[in-house]
Amino acid sequence: MLRNVLTSVTGRDVSDDYADAVRKQLDSALRLAVRESYSKDRWGQLTARGALISYTSPDTGEERWANYYTDDAVEELEEADDRAEAEARYEENIQALADCAGTGPAWWQVTDVDDVPTRDDDEDDEDL
């Protein structure tokens, strides 16, 4: 079952202490991301990033898997007990965001999700 741990859009499914403890592990988990999709602006700064990550549960010490997404407006982290569920959600989110681009420039510059369009680094990204 997916749990909202960090969210800018909806309510959390975990305590503030739990979310804070996960946030402390976030930078390290993102550096070791198992899968990742992203876009950067012309200065090389990330404008959108999706990642499949793992970290240690603050409650149990067990490995947790999560789908993470951030852009200039939101930050979301959905946690799962197993990789398969988190990975399925990661792929679903990356595809859904790619679909948002419609006929405009592709949402992602780099992605590891099959059949998701990408754009070149030098394409105009001001509409993203």
Side-chain angles (χ1 to χ4, degrees), residues 96-126:
L97 287 162
D99 292 345
C100 287
T103 59
W107 189 276
W108 302 109
Q109 286 172 319
V110 174
T111 186
D112 57 6
V113 178
D114 292 340
D115 300 322
V116 169
T118 59
R119 63 186 165 93
D120 293 330
D121 290 347
D122 59 351
E123 285 185 51
D124 185 12
D125 61 350
E126 291 189 21

Side-chain angles (χ1 to χ4, degrees), residues 14 25 31 35 39 65 75 88 95 108 115 125:
V14 298
Q25 298 182 66
R31 279 193 297 278
R35 297 186 65 187
S39 290
W65 289 90
E75 180 180 48
Q95 182 64 59
W108 302 109
D115 300 322
D125 61 350

Side-chain angles (χ1 to χ4, degrees), residues 10-25:
T10 187
R12 278 190 263 163
D13 298 324
V14 298
S15 70
D16 289 346
D17 289 342
Y18 189 95
D20 290 344
V22 169
R23 184 170 294 286
K24 289 177 182 173
Q25 298 182 66

Side-chain angles (χ1 to χ4, degrees), residues 85-96:
E85 184 176 19
E87 192 159 15
R89 184 65 169 159
Y90 165 78
E91 290 190 0
E92 176 185 309
N93 282 347
I94 298 304
Q95 182 64 59

